[in-house]
């Protein structure tokens, strides 16, 4: 279906009573799993988790202040706002969302980015695993789809995009195993859930007989099913997945043009997000994501929005300027439209929760997988990374006649993650020295040529230092061999199609909101204690009366429940 863009909040009265009323957290947060293994504590029975990718705490604060009658303002007025929340590092979608559902940082989850290198796998497509393990790309994004150009990822639905809600609830159906890295232990493809090293909130909920659902931007987010051993993709964490491919051709082609995905036009992104919103509305009504089969309201469910992220990244879209006004604190017109859209969509969810009689038993958590940097357009420095990597490899070969490329894989958005063919400390130091002693060419917000010092980096961790930064052994096969922390404003991209990016360690990449809205909480409050989005996972379990300690990452990292929720202190 073609969704009409909505610039203002939906015309629903969101009063203090409507926001979420009925019970208090005290019983839910301290209760024990109920009889029959349901985990219900008699209070909160459902948690809706919403990730508004790209959203900063400053954006939420600005929006609430400037539209005090909005849905987001009402939620903030009757919820708990964590004003100093940050994402894990790297601030990419994959570790960001994985942290929210596992309680763990990359060192524990094994998820450093959505597209990385692993020194201990065979490349995708390998059928005979003999000889030394060469290492290979571990791409858990659109590259795993049967057809990454199709919204249904290759399922073959007729009538797209209108038929997309009929997409399979099992992403394995649209993942091509030939696109997955291969496990040297059994020479079988490693499915996304098998790549994850710890369990998820969905696994814990299922173990207690609770229903689960999740909607995300790639079938690769099948990862949240949780590990399932080596015999196949049999993870069972999420019962109902809805994962339309965001990097597919935006439809209709006549509107968006051939070769353009849903992120290249902000109106297309809104259209894409609206399909996932409809899935959530169907689930609130007690149906599966398609709206066809009645299955009951999930105990844990939710989705991520991409609309704010593309409004921050695109220089212009639909005749509106993207990003922020000079100074970086006031959203520009495209971003304002995106925030209004989010407010409207969340408003529809809140209204449906109320209409279905679920307000007294449903908690809502709003956060973000990542922020975006830079917010101030005058700080932008776009730097192509390919010439930097080519120069490193050329310098290495010149110093080591007969050698091949040293940098064999990189992921560079507004940070630099490099994997090397030679994992010695000497090789890592060679790269570090090169990066810090060479300038790089780029362009600014106006497209004018600029030069950045030290390859656009302010600090480089090489070899053992990179391992120590992440907290893993030097021989860990997944962590980047060289990690570069970008100077503020640097975005590694060719051309001029982006004005912001994420993935780095800039505060604007990592500073995001956490807003927890609980039934019966009449007066909201702000908590300024530093927290991380990994704390969302144990908090969700505690809200449902389940033991956060059943999360493996919580056991390892001692991830705490978010503070300031009555009955919600401790591990």
């Amino acid at each position: 279906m073609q969704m009409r863009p909505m610039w203002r909040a939906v015309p629903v009265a969101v009063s203090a009573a409507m926001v979420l009323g009925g019970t208090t957290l005290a019983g839910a947060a301290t209760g024990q799993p109920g009889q029959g293994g349901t985990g219900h504590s008699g209070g909160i029975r459902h948690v809706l988790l919403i990730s508004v990718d790209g959203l900063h705490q400053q954006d939420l604060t600005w929006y609430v202040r400037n539209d005090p009658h909005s849905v987001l303002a009402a939620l903030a007025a009757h919820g708990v706002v964590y004003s100093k929340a940050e994402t894990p590092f790297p601030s990419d979608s994959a570790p960001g969302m994985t942290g929210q559902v596992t309680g763990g940082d990359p060192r524990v989850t094994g998820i450093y980015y959505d597209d990385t290198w692993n020194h201990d796998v065979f490349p995708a497509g390998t059928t005979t695993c003999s000889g030394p393990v060469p290492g290979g790309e571990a791409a858990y994004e659109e590259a795993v789809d049967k057809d990454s150009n199709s919204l249904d990822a290759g399922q073959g639905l007729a009538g797209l995009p209108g038929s997309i809600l009929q997409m399979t609830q099992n992403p394995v159906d649209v993942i091509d195993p030939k696109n997955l890295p291969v496990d040297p232990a059994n020479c079988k493809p490693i499915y996304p859930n098998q790549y994850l090293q710890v369990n998820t909130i969905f696994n814990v909920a299922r173990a207690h007989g609770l229903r689960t659902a999740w909607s995300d931007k790639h079938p690769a987010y099948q990862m949240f099913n949780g590990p399932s051993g080596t015999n196949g993709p049999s993870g069972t964490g999420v019962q109902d997945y809805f994962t339309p491919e965001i990097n597919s051709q935006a439809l209709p082609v006549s509107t968006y043009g051939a070769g353009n995905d849903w992120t290249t036009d902000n109106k297309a992104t809104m259209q894409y997000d609206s399909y996932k919103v409809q899935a959530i509305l169907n689930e609130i009504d007690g149906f599966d994501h398609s709206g066809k089969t009645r299955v009951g309201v999930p105990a844990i469910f939710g989705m991520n929005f991409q609309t704010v992220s593309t409004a921050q990244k695109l220089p212009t879209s639909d005749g509106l300027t993207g990003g922020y006004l000079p100074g970086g604190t006031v959203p520009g017109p495209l971003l304002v439209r995106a925030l209004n859209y989010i407010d409207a969509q969340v408003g529809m969810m809140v209204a449906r929760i109320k209409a279905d009689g679920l307000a007294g038993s449903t908690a809502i958590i709003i956060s973000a997988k990542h922020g975006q940097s830079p917010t101030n357009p005058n700080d932008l420095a776009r730097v192509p990374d390919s010439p930097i990597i080519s120069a490193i490899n050329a310098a290495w070969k010149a110093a080591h006649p007969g050698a091949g490329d040293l940098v064999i894989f990189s992921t560079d958005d507004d940070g630099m993650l490099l994997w090397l063919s030679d994992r010695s400390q000497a090789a890592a130091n060679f790269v570090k020295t090169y990066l810090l002693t060479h300038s790089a060419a780029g362009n600014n917000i106006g497209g004018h040529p600029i030069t950045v010092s030290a390859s656009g980096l302010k600090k480089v961790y090489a070899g053992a230092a990179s391992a120590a930064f992440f907290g893993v052994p030097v021989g860990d096969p997944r962590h980047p061999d060289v990690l570069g922390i970008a100077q503020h404003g640097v975005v590694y991209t060719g051309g001029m199609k982006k004005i912001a990016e994420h993935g780095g360690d800039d505060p604007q990449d990592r500073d995001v909101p956490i807003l927890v809205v609980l039934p019966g909480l009449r007066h909201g409050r702000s908590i300024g204690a530093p927290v991380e989005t990994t704390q969302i996972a144990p908090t969700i379990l505690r809200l449902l009366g389940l033991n956060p300690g059943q999360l493996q990452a919580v056991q390892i990292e001692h991830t705490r429940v978010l503070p300031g929720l009555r009955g919600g202190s401790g591990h």
Side-chain angles (χ1 to χ4, degrees):
M1 59 182 173
Q2 179 84 24
M3 303 299 295
R4 180 176 61 86
M6 305 175 70
W7 321 135
R8 298 292 300 172
V10 287
V12 217
V14 185
S15 65
M18 175 185 173
V19 168
L20 285 176
T23 63
T24 65
L25 175 60
T30 59
Q32 299 299 315
Q35 295 180 354
T38 65
H40 291 149
S41 60
I44 294 171
R45 301 173 67 88
H46 315 284
V47 179
L48 174 61
L49 176 60
I50 300 170
S51 178
V52 184
D53 297 354
L55 189 69
H56 303 102
Q57 174 59 38
Q58 75 167 33
D59 299 328
L60 180 61
T61 300
W62 180 90
Y63 193 81
V64 167
R65 182 175 63 247
N66 284 275
D67 196 346
H69 302 294
S70 64
V71 174
L72 290 175
L75 293 174
H78 301 281
V80 181
V81 176
Y82 295 89
S83 60
K84 292 185 179 178
E86 67 175 13
T87 70
F89 173 82
S91 59
D92 175 57
S93 295
M97 198 67 238
T98 301
Q100 290 189 39
V101 300
T102 66
D105 289 304
R107 74 178 185 94
V108 171
T109 65
I111 308 303
Y112 290 84
Y113 228 84
D114 58 8
D115 192 5
T116 62
W117 184 270
N118 187 322
H119 290 286
D120 195 27
V121 300
F122 280 90
T126 299
T127 57
T128 302
C129 300
S130 61
V133 180
E137 184 177 1
Y140 290 105
E141 25 87 278
E142 68 269 20
V144 309
D145 300 351
K146 287 183 176 179
D147 182 0
S148 61
N149 198 44
S150 177
L151 182 60
D152 67 4
Q155 183 175 341
L157 293 174
L160 291 172
S163 61
I164 189 57
L165 285 168
Q166 306 312 308
M167 188 175 177
T168 178
Q169 65 180 14
N170 185 0
V172 169
D173 295 340
V174 291
I175 291 176
D176 187 343
K178 294 192 299 296
N179 297 335
L180 299 170
V182 175
D183 188 342
N186 57 19
C187 209
K188 292 182 179 180
I190 306 171
Y191 279 82
N193 67 300
Q194 296 171 317
Y195 200 70
L196 181 62
Q197 296 179 160
V198 293
N199 66 349
T200 73
I201 55 175
F202 302 109
N203 296 126
V204 176
R206 292 296 303 130
H208 290 276
L210 303 181
R211 183 165 181 81
T212 57
W214 186 252
S215 179
D216 222 303
K217 61 181 182 177
H218 304 301
Y221 281 91
Q222 182 265 357
M223 182 174 291
F224 301 155
N225 264 336
S228 61
T230 58
N231 295 321
S234 57
T236 56
V238 179
Q239 290 171 282
D240 183 7
Y241 265 114
F242 180 51
T243 57
E245 179 53 66
I246 193 169
N247 290 122
S248 62
Q249 170 66 57
L251 300 171
V253 177
S254 58
T255 299
Y256 301 117
N260 291 318
D261 69 29
W262 300 90
T263 70
T264 57
D265 184 301
N266 190 243
K267 183 168 65 175
T269 313
M270 286 192 290
Q271 179 183 330
Y272 168 87
D273 277 347
S274 294
Y275 299 134
K276 292 187 291 187
V277 170
Q278 185 58 54
I280 296 296
L281 296 176
N282 290 340
E283 290 162 1
I284 293 171
D285 287 342
F287 291 88
D288 65 4
H289 77 260
S290 74
K292 295 283 181 84
T293 305
R294 184 172 289 278
V295 292
V297 183
I300 304 175
F301 65 126
M303 64 167 285
N304 75 97
F305 283 98
Q306 293 295 304
T307 296
V308 165
S309 182
T310 62
Q312 293 167 325
K313 283 184 175 185
L314 295 171
T316 61
S317 187
D318 312 317
L320 300 173
T321 301
Y324 298 79
L325 300 182
T329 60
V330 178
L334 186 66
L335 185 50
V336 170
R337 187 184 75 170
L339 293 169
N340 284 335
Y341 168 81
I342 298 299
D343 191 70
Q345 304 305 298
V346 173
M348 288 195 292
M349 296 179 199
V350 172
R352 189 66 60 88
I353 288 170
K354 177 69 174 179
D356 287 354
L358 301 173
S361 60
T362 303
I364 298 175
I365 299 178
I366 298 175
S367 188
K369 294 177 182 177
H370 57 77
Q372 213 93 258
S373 175
T375 59
N376 187 344
N378 294 327
D379 293 342
L380 178 65
R382 287 176 288 220
V383 178
D385 59 333
S386 294
I388 298 172
I389 294 168
S390 295
I392 292 172
N393 286 333
W396 176 256
K397 292 174 184 178
H400 301 80
D405 286 345
L406 178 57
V407 179
I408 51 176
F409 192 81
S410 68
T411 294
D412 312 316
D413 285 324
D414 65 349
M416 188 171 282
L417 283 65
L418 306 178
W419 286 263
L420 309 181
S421 59
D422 181 340
R423 301 198 80 191
S424 68
Q425 187 64 44
N429 288 342
F430 180 93
V431 175
K432 175 180 178 178
T433 299
Y434 186 94
L435 290 171
L436 293 178
T437 57
H438 287 76
S439 60
N443 62 81
N444 62 16
I445 186 65
H448 303 297
I450 59 172
T451 299
V452 296
S453 62
S455 306
L457 302 171
K458 65 180 182 181
K459 194 168 184 62
V460 176
Y461 298 87
S466 177
F469 181 93
F470 287 107
V472 296
V474 175
D476 178 275
R478 300 189 185 200
H479 78 85
D481 298 307
V482 176
L483 167 65
I485 306 299
Q487 300 167 20
H488 174 68
V490 169
V491 172
Y492 291 104
T493 182
M496 293 182 287
K497 293 183 178 180
K498 295 179 184 178
I499 57 173
E501 193 44 281
H502 57 270
D505 195 40
D506 193 282
Q508 293 174 358
D509 281 8
R510 300 186 64 189
D511 293 348
V512 297
I514 298 179
L515 169 60
V516 180
V517 187
L518 304 169
L521 186 61
R522 303 299 180 185
H523 302 289
R525 57 184 178 269
S526 178
I527 295 178
V531 296
E532 188 175 278
T533 53
T534 53
Q535 294 178 252
I536 290 172
T539 299
I540 288 175
L541 295 185
R542 180 64 61 84
L543 291 174
L544 292 171
L546 301 175
N547 179 9
Q550 293 181 0
L551 286 171
Q552 294 163 335
V554 167
Q555 296 173 23
I556 298 169
E557 297 199 320
H558 306 292
T559 313
R560 301 181 69 88
V561 170
L562 288 167
L565 303 177
R566 283 176 292 169
S569 61
H571 293 299

